[in-house]
Amino acid sequence: TSRGSIERSSTWLIPIISSHPETINRLPSSATCFLLLQAYGSDADKTLLDLSSPLLRHVSSCLAGEYGEVDAQRAADLLLIDAADQNSDMRRCARRVLQEAIGKSNTSVANANDADFSWIGNLLQSAYADSIVENAIRHLSHALIHERGRVLRALVIGLHEYITYAKEKIGGVTCEFDAILVDLISVRPHICSTVMDYFDDFRDLTLSTICCGFEQLLKQCRSGQESKEQGNTIKLTIFDVDLGSSQKKEPKQYEVIISAPLVYAGIVVLSNWQDKDSDIVRKDFENCNIKNTDHKYAVRLLCNCIISPFGSEIKSEASSGAAGAVFVRGGQRAVGAEYWVMMAKSRSDFIARQAALCAPDFLLPRLLLCSGLPRASLYGMLERLGQMGDASADLSKCFSQLFTPSSVAEWGVLSMNKRRVIARKLLGRVSAYLEQGRCANDDSVLQAAHSSSFVTWLAEECGNIEKSRKSRTKRGGGTPSSKVKSLASYGDVSSQLGRTAKPERILFNLDKEEVNVPTESISPEQGTEEQGKILSMSVIKKYCRAGEYYKVEQLLDGAFSGTLLKKELSRDIGKALMVELRSSQTSAAEVNRICLKWIPLLTQNCGDSEVWEHVFSAQPCVSIEHSKCMISACAAQWQDEQICLCQNWIFDQTGEDSKLHPPSLLRFLIITSNQGPIHRRRIESGRQPFSVVSSQKQATAAVSLALKSASELYDKGISESSTHNARNALPDWLTFLLIIANVSKKHLSLITQMILQRLPSQTWQGKILPSVLLRLYVYFPSRMDLGNAKVRGILLEATSSLASEWVQWRCPLDEQLGDMVETLSTNLNQRLLHSISELSKRQPLIVLRFFKTMAVALEKDAEISTQQGDAKIGRVHGGAPLGSGTAVLPSGVVKVVVRHWGYSFTEPVWASVLDILSTLPGEVIFSCGCKMGLLDIFAVIVKLIAIQCLIKTPENTLKLRTRLISVLTSFRSSNASAFDDWIGSKIEGLKNCGSVRDLSKKCDFELQPLQQIDVSRKETNG
């Protein structure tokens, strides 16, 4: 009985059980659980709750094990499944039922402080706890995703108790509590931090779990063992400090592979820690005996492993701890800005200062943008930035590099992408901290700002930006915008710091040449003379060859953002950039960004063969995916005239000696063809065909380009992940072939001939091209020339080898033929049968795709329906071998006739299917059809004939047996081996009756021996 039906009947079933409690023993444990949950539901009637006492006692007894192991396990599973459901009302109701059922019997040690969750521990007191606990662990783990507060605390502690019990009493438990907990904290850091604030036992359990993980890692490093971590892992450099020694020793460094969730969970714990918890902020911390204070030891251990023990030193771009952590797969930075923000805002001054001193340089401005920074963290960042500027030969250059687009992109703040906005917000935040310190009479704040050259540079930078905006407004003759307001704090900050000098901003300071980028945009009327001074070939080459791509990116952003460039200048800059990028040996994120953004923009109005050659050549430093994205961006930016010229140029460059990158060429041609994903839309309808390949020369070049691209992919071996046989997500070369074939019948014939020239082959072509020819036939069946014997042979081989794959491909005849087969079983007429027969003669392979559908239709036709089908034309009914029976009812004696599958059937439908099979060519139906559902049709027909013989009505299938013998005779003569295998097999549902050969003898559709057939033929001919 389903849960829905039980819940619908709860309004009358619960009162009956309440008045007759003895009836409850007739119900399974699942039914009582569902009824009890319905009674305790938030929307339930109060009356049902009052009447649910018998149900509650029965569920409580089931959980306690009084009704056996099966009922105990089933009741616990059903209730815990609801306790882990996404619906909060269902979870709340399930917890209430569990508490009422078993929560009051004993007191759980783990949840003694919260009586509402004593059921978690009491569930282990069940007589069959060993059978319950394994599934309970899984359900509670799922519930952690949805809960918070004291519920989350209770479930975590209970889960720890369950896993401990399972390991001690059962054994063989694969799940680890440590992994579950660190995953939870890394996924829900803020929720878990709130729970740590309110519940000390949850905080202590979390701290000890994470600390044990790092201690185990240090033990492996000390013993020389390699880490066995798999999955989402991080490469990290940690420090091993003897925390129990009173002597200060040089710490040891280990490069380890560690689980990423463990690192993130450790960061969450550090960011949530408070000084009052362990009194950790002391200058002589290293000299105190910390072995007696577990909290101090654990937190200090996490600091040494995640941040750095060198808190008093300022090191630029530290490579240890979280600052140097990278993912094992890919090598990207593993600890992002959001985690550094959490540590910098830690409630422990010691941890906050450590994070400020060890964070990567480019993240320091992002951390200063945070509100609520601790004083220690603010001091550390201002001091560190000041020392960075003082140690640099060019202060402006040093600080400007912190605001490059590549650095800002890693901050994770999408709303701030302009340098002016970032500088103003940052100055406003620093000014607010200074004002706060002044109001609190904290001279140390002003002293820290006074000693930091970064604050001075920031105030001067914002002042220069404001002056530049005002000067542009005056030159334009307008009034300043209301959004542009002078910051009154500029003068205050400058006066407090005692600095008035405002040096001019220099973006880059090179040894032999300086590049000054003006803050305002360059208008088109200024011509290209000034732009040429800023962006010269030597500057581009110098920065690219030095690997300083961020400078190229900043130079382009600052000088040409939002301007209309002259064709000559765009062309020269684009060519120089592509030449240098192609010769680069690195694969940096800046290179990919430059290719995706600037190459399409620089080449949008200056198309010629030299530029196109650079665009479509292989870029060693750019990944294949980024290269495809760049080509897509070019196709979107270029003008229609340029796209047309480029298409014709591509077809002229497709020779064997061409150095262009075929995948890039194909991606451009597919996007600019305006055909869309041809394999996802209705074929042979809709849009205009690809007119660029209208001539035979261009079409030949296009097909050669597609096959050349396929050759580059498969020459080294066919990949198992290749999608050329899939329904969607086809490779570009196959998509392009379909686009060409859609132009006309001549184009399809051209592709067919070029494929036939390459077959047969022992290379990749012999494995891939037959399936390509089959897909072309499926997509364009009316255009394919089936008069060629070689084409038919290849199609038959491909159909046989791809019997399960090619049925999923789209075909324009699917809808028409599908409707015919559906109508065949409901409204048969001669015109429909004639249409299917004609289609079978023209497109036999397409009809094979619907063999399984025909078998299902026949199976359904022989079923017993509750609807009256006696009036249906052609419906044949069987009889009862032993006659009708009788049944004695209170109302009297009634006649009973037993009906089952095969008792009645529509004879014209079954005969029509056999007629369709007889019209199909033997080389098609008996070679490929055996894998496409032909044997399923035979099995259904034989099963019907056997059923009719068993119920003593063999005359009903006389016509079917005659047609079946004819088809089976052709089957034996066309494919004797497949026929012998089938005739010796058994049919599902009739295995007790023997093989098909035995059934043919019993049911009178046995074939004549081949010798008798030959003799009869000779007599007829004589």
Side-chain angles (χ1 to χ4, degrees):
T1 304
S2 66
R3 178 172 184 172
S5 61
I6 293 175
E7 291 179 346
R8 287 191 297 270
S9 61
S10 60
T11 54
W12 59 268
L13 189 56
I14 292 178
I16 292 177
I17 295 175
S18 178
S19 59
H20 300 82
E22 66 278 1
T23 60
I24 199 172
N25 294 326
R26 301 179 182 180
L27 297 176
S29 58
S30 59
T32 56
C33 289
F34 292 150
L35 290 172
L36 189 59
L37 289 170
Q38 185 70 10
Y40 274 82
S42 58
D43 298 332
D45 189 357
K46 182 72 166 56
T47 307
L48 296 180
L49 184 60
D50 296 336
L51 299 175
S52 62
S53 297
L55 292 172
L56 182 61
R57 289 194 297 269
H58 186 268
V59 171
S60 179
S61 300
C62 287
L63 293 174
E66 297 179 8
Y67 292 98
E69 180 179 359
V70 176
D71 283 351
Q73 186 175 1
R74 184 182 302 167
D77 285 347
L78 292 176
L79 294 175
L80 290 175
I81 287 174
D82 272 24
D85 195 84
Q86 294 183 357
N87 189 308
S88 58
D89 291 335
M90 294 182 65
R91 297 197 306 271
R92 192 180 303 109
C93 178
R95 293 197 301 269
R96 185 181 176 188
V97 169
L98 285 166
Q99 181 64 23
E100 292 291 333
I102 60 174
K104 300 178 181 180
S105 57
N106 296 299
T107 302
S108 171
V109 176
N111 290 285
N113 297 329
D114 197 340
D116 291 340
F117 299 97
S118 57
W119 61 267
I120 298 178
N122 293 341
L123 194 61
L124 295 180
Q125 306 301 322
S126 172
Y128 301 102
D130 294 352
S131 302
I132 295 174
V133 69
E134 185 175 357
N135 290 336
I137 291 173
R138 185 176 72 254
H139 298 318
L140 291 183
S141 301
H142 293 166
L144 300 179
I145 304 298
H146 309 294
E147 301 297 353
R148 60 182 64 207
R150 70 188 189 99
V151 180
L152 180 61
R153 168 252 173 200
L155 293 181
V156 169
I157 295 178
L159 183 63
H160 180 253
E161 187 177 358
Y162 280 22
I163 294 178
T164 303
Y165 174 90
K167 289 184 177 180
E168 293 176 355
K169 299 293 183 65
I170 303 175
V173 180
T174 57
C175 61
E176 294 290 340
F177 175 77
D178 298 354
I180 296 174
L181 182 60
V182 298
D183 284 340
L184 172 67
I185 297 175
S186 63
V187 172
R188 309 182 72 193
H190 301 292
I191 300 296
C192 293
S193 295
T194 305
V195 180
M196 292 181 201
D197 289 340
Y198 288 97
F199 301 100
D200 293 340
D201 51 358
F202 180 84
R203 181 200 61 192
D204 295 343
L205 178 61
T206 301
L207 182 61
S208 62
T209 300
I210 297 174
C211 183
C212 289
F214 281 98
E215 281 186 326
Q216 184 67 25
L217 188 66
L218 285 174
K219 290 180 181 179
Q220 292 178 0
C221 295
R222 292 165 186 162
S223 60
Q225 300 178 8
E226 295 184 359
S227 176
K228 298 181 181 180
E229 291 288 344
Q230 297 179 354
N232 187 15
T233 53
I234 290 176
K235 183 184 293 184
L236 185 72
T237 299
I238 62 176
F239 291 89
D240 185 11
V241 182
D242 187 2
L243 300 179
S245 175
S246 59
Q247 299 180 357
K248 190 173 182 179
K249 299 180 180 179
E250 187 70 19
K252 299 180 181 179
Q253 295 188 31
Y254 299 107
E255 188 177 87
V256 298
I257 305 298
I258 188 172
S259 169
L262 180 60
V263 176
Y264 299 149
I267 293 175
V268 174
V269 172
L270 290 177
S271 66
N272 187 71
W273 200 256
Q274 301 184 47
D275 291 337
K276 64 181 180 65
D277 293 328
S278 57
D279 193 23
I280 196 172
V281 181
R282 295 176 54 182
K283 292 184 179 179
D284 57 344
F285 181 84
E286 290 81 359
N287 297 326
C288 67
N289 185 9
I290 61 175
K291 285 192 174 181
N292 297 326
T293 55
D294 294 336
H295 285 172
K296 287 184 178 181
Y297 175 83
V299 174
R300 186 62 179 176
L301 175 65
L302 294 181
C303 286
N304 291 338
C305 294
I306 296 177
I307 307 178
S308 173
F310 301 104
S312 59
E313 300 182 10
I314 298 177
K315 292 193 173 185
S316 177
E317 293 295 341
S319 59
S320 60
V326 295
F327 286 111
V328 175
R329 296 181 180 178
Q332 295 90 357
R333 191 181 298 274
V335 181
E338 66 274 13
Y339 293 105
W340 286 107
V341 169
M342 294 171 63
M343 289 190 288
K345 296 175 67 175
S346 173
R347 288 174 288 186
S348 167
D349 288 343
F350 174 80
I351 296 174
R353 179 171 175 82
Q354 285 285 88
L357 295 178
C358 298
D361 290 345
F362 71 90
L363 284 180
L364 293 178
R366 168 66 183 92
L367 299 181
L368 283 175
L369 284 170
C370 298
S371 60
L373 281 176
R375 187 179 306 169
S377 178
L378 178 64
Y379 292 169
M381 283 185 278
L382 291 178
E383 180 184 0
R384 182 177 170 187
L385 286 168
Q387 293 191 18
M388 284 173 53
D390 297 339
S392 175
D394 189 341
L395 182 144
S396 179
K397 174 186 175 183
C398 175
F399 292 141
S400 296
Q401 291 179 350
L402 300 177
F403 297 91
T404 58
S406 58
S407 298
V408 175
E410 297 195 42
W411 289 3
V413 184
L414 300 177
S415 59
M416 291 189 296
N417 52 8
K418 294 184 179 180
R419 184 191 186 94
R420 174 180 59 83
V421 176
I422 296 173
R424 292 181 60 180
K425 286 184 177 292
L426 188 57
L427 182 60
R429 183 68 70 187
V430 174
S431 301
Y433 282 125
L434 296 181
E435 182 65 24
Q436 185 180 4
R438 186 187 303 108
C439 295
N441 296 324
D442 188 355
D443 297 334
S444 59
V445 176
L446 297 177
Q447 183 179 0
H450 179 79
S451 61
S452 178
S453 57
F454 175 75
V455 179
T456 306
W457 174 85
L458 185 62
E460 295 167 352
E461 178 75 5
C462 291
N464 293 338
I465 293 176
E466 187 68 17
K467 283 185 178 181
S468 175
R469 291 176 60 84
K470 290 182 178 180
S471 63
R472 289 203 306 273
T473 304
K474 291 181 180 179
R475 287 198 302 268
T479 59
S481 173
S482 60
K483 295 183 180 180
V484 182
K485 300 179 181 179
S486 61
L487 298 177
S489 58
Y490 291 167
D492 297 338
V493 175
S494 299
S495 63
Q496 293 171 11
L497 301 177
R499 300 188 181 187
T500 56
K502 296 182 179 181
E504 301 212 0
R505 175 186 171 201
I506 300 177
L507 188 61
F508 304 128
N509 185 12
L510 304 177
D511 295 336
K512 297 183 180 180
E513 58 180 310
E514 293 182 354
V515 183
N516 299 320
V517 180
T519 57
E520 67 272 9
S521 299
I522 302 173
S523 61
E525 289 77 9
Q526 291 177 264
T528 60
E529 182 177 355
E530 187 175 359
Q531 298 171 356
K533 293 179 181 179
I534 298 174
L535 283 178
S536 62
M537 300 302 167
S538 59
V539 174
I540 295 292
K541 293 179 180 179
K542 185 167 187 176
Y543 290 160
C544 290
R545 292 174 183 176
E548 297 174 334
Y549 300 107
Y550 70 93
K551 292 185 178 180
V552 177
E553 191 175 4
Q554 186 180 27
L555 194 61
L556 292 171
D557 282 330
F560 297 114
S561 179
T563 64
L564 298 175
L565 306 182
K566 298 287 184 166
K567 287 186 177 182
E568 294 79 6
L569 183 61
S570 297
R571 178 179 180 276
D572 294 341
I573 294 175
K575 283 173 52 180
L577 194 58
M578 286 186 286
V579 169
E580 295 301 327
L581 292 180
R582 189 186 305 133
S583 60
S584 174
Q585 299 299 323
T586 61
S587 181
E590 293 88 348
V591 175
N592 292 326
R593 270 200 302 272
I594 291 174
C595 291
L596 293 178
K597 178 179 179 180
W598 285 107
I599 289 181
L601 289 175
L602 293 172
T603 58
Q604 62 180 340
N605 296 316
C606 52
D608 57 31
S609 58
E610 193 172 355
V611 172
W612 295 332
E613 185 175 353
H614 288 299
V615 171
F616 294 110
S617 297
Q619 304 283 349
C621 59
V622 182
S623 65
I624 297 178
E625 294 301 323
H626 282 90
S627 178
K628 290 182 178 180
C629 293
M630 182 192 72
I631 297 300
S632 301
C634 289
Q637 292 285 346
W638 291 358
Q639 303 296 325
D640 293 341
E641 182 180 357
Q642 182 182 357
I643 289 175
C644 185
L645 293 174
C646 182
Q647 288 173 342
N648 294 322
W649 175 82
I650 289 175
F651 294 136
D652 294 335
Q653 306 296 320
T654 56
E656 294 295 335
D657 56 345
S658 177
K659 297 181 180 180
L660 302 179
H661 193 220
S664 298
L665 297 175
L666 283 181
R667 175 52 61 99
F668 178 79
L669 291 173
I670 291 173
I671 295 175
T672 57
S673 66
N674 296 324
Q675 297 296 301
I678 189 171
H679 57 284
R680 294 184 183 177
R681 62 182 175 84
R682 188 169 180 177
I683 308 168
E684 293 184 339
S685 64
R687 310 177 185 181
Q688 294 294 328
F690 192 27
S691 59
V692 181
V693 293
S694 56
S695 67
Q696 183 177 2
K697 179 181 178 182
Q698 291 173 328
T700 304
V703 176
S704 300
L705 176 62
L707 296 178
K708 183 178 180 181
S709 178
S711 178
E712 289 192 1
L713 292 175
Y714 300 116
D715 268 341
K716 296 181 180 180
I718 300 176
S719 174
E720 294 181 359
S721 60
S722 178
T723 59
H724 64 278
N725 289 334
R727 174 181 172 90
N728 298 322
L730 303 181
D732 285 348
W733 63 270
L734 184 51
T735 301
F736 192 55
L737 286 179
L738 295 175
I739 291 175
I740 299 172
N742 191 40
V743 176
S744 69
K745 186 175 181 179
K746 293 182 179 179
H747 287 75
L748 178 60
S749 178
L750 174 65
I751 298 174
T752 303
Q753 292 300 324
M754 296 183 69
I755 291 177
L756 293 179
Q757 292 174 4
R758 291 167 169 78
L759 295 176
S761 175
Q762 299 298 324
T763 63
W764 67 269
Q765 297 177 353
K767 300 178 180 180
I768 302 298
L769 293 185
S771 66
V772 175
L773 193 63
L774 178 60
R775 188 182 290 270
L776 290 171
Y777 167 69
V778 173
Y779 277 40
F780 311 100
S782 60
R783 295 183 183 180
M784 180 70 73
D785 182 14
L786 298 179
N788 191 326
K790 187 175 181 180
V791 172
R792 294 197 304 271
I794 294 175
L795 291 178
L796 289 176
E797 293 178 2
T799 302
S800 180
S801 60
L802 300 173
S804 59
E805 290 89 348
W806 82 288
V807 179
Q808 306 297 327
W809 300 349
R810 291 171 176 82
C811 178
L813 299 177
D814 281 348
E815 185 176 353
Q816 176 187 356
L817 194 52
D819 292 341
M820 288 181 177
V821 174
E822 182 179 358
T823 308
L824 182 68
S825 59
T826 58
N827 188 18
L828 180 64
N829 56 74
Q830 291 298 323
R831 180 179 299 177
L832 176 63
L833 182 59
H834 178 74
S835 300
I836 298 178
S837 300
E838 289 298 321
L839 187 60
S840 302
K841 295 176 182 178
R842 296 196 310 269
Q843 308 295 343
L845 286 178
I846 303 300
V847 177
L848 295 185
R849 294 159 56 91
F850 290 87
F851 273 4
K852 291 185 180 295
T853 306
M854 293 179 183
V856 172
L858 295 178
E859 185 87 24
K860 187 176 181 181
D861 181 76
E863 292 178 350
I864 298 300
S865 176
T866 57
Q867 300 177 355
Q868 294 296 329
D870 295 342
K872 188 174 181 180
I873 301 177
R875 192 72 176 175
V876 178
H877 303 279
L882 302 178
S884 60
T886 57
V888 180
L889 300 178
S891 58
V893 179
V894 295
K895 181 180 178 181
V896 178
V897 177
V898 179
R899 296 186 178 185
H900 47 75
W901 188 94
Y903 178 85
S904 61
F905 64 99
T906 309
E907 184 187 35
V909 174
W910 296 70
S912 299
V913 171
L914 289 172
D915 291 339
I916 293 172
L917 297 181
S918 63
T919 60
L920 292 169
E923 61 177 347
V924 174
I925 183 175
F926 300 122
S927 59
C928 310
C930 294
K931 298 180 180 180
M932 303 290 296
L934 176 64
L935 301 183
D936 296 338
I937 296 176
F938 286 161
V940 176
I941 296 175
V942 170
K943 185 163 64 172
L944 176 69
I945 295 174
I947 294 295
Q948 288 292 319
C949 290
L950 289 175
I951 61 178
K952 309 301 183 180
T953 55
E955 64 277 2
N956 289 345
T957 59
L958 180 59
K959 295 180 180 180
L960 295 184
R961 281 179 284 155
T962 304
R963 288 178 169 84
L964 180 62
I965 291 174
S966 176
V967 176
L968 293 180
T969 302
S970 301
F971 184 14
R972 183 175 59 180
S973 60
S974 299
N975 193 344
S977 60
F979 176 81
D980 291 338
D981 293 339
W982 176 76
I983 202 71
S985 64
K986 294 183 179 181
I987 295 178
E988 190 68 28
L990 296 175
K991 292 184 177 180
N992 294 333
C993 298
S995 63
V996 177
R997 180 179 287 105
D998 298 332
L999 289 174
S1000 66
K1001 295 178 181 178
K1002 297 176 182 178
C1003 302
D1004 195 20
F1005 62 91
E1006 184 180 10
L1007 303 186
Q1008 298 179 6
L1010 290 176
Q1011 294 180 356
Q1012 295 183 11
I1013 296 177
D1014 294 339
V1015 172
S1016 61
R1017 288 179 180 176
K1018 291 180 180 180
E1019 293 177 354
T1020 303
N1021 295 332

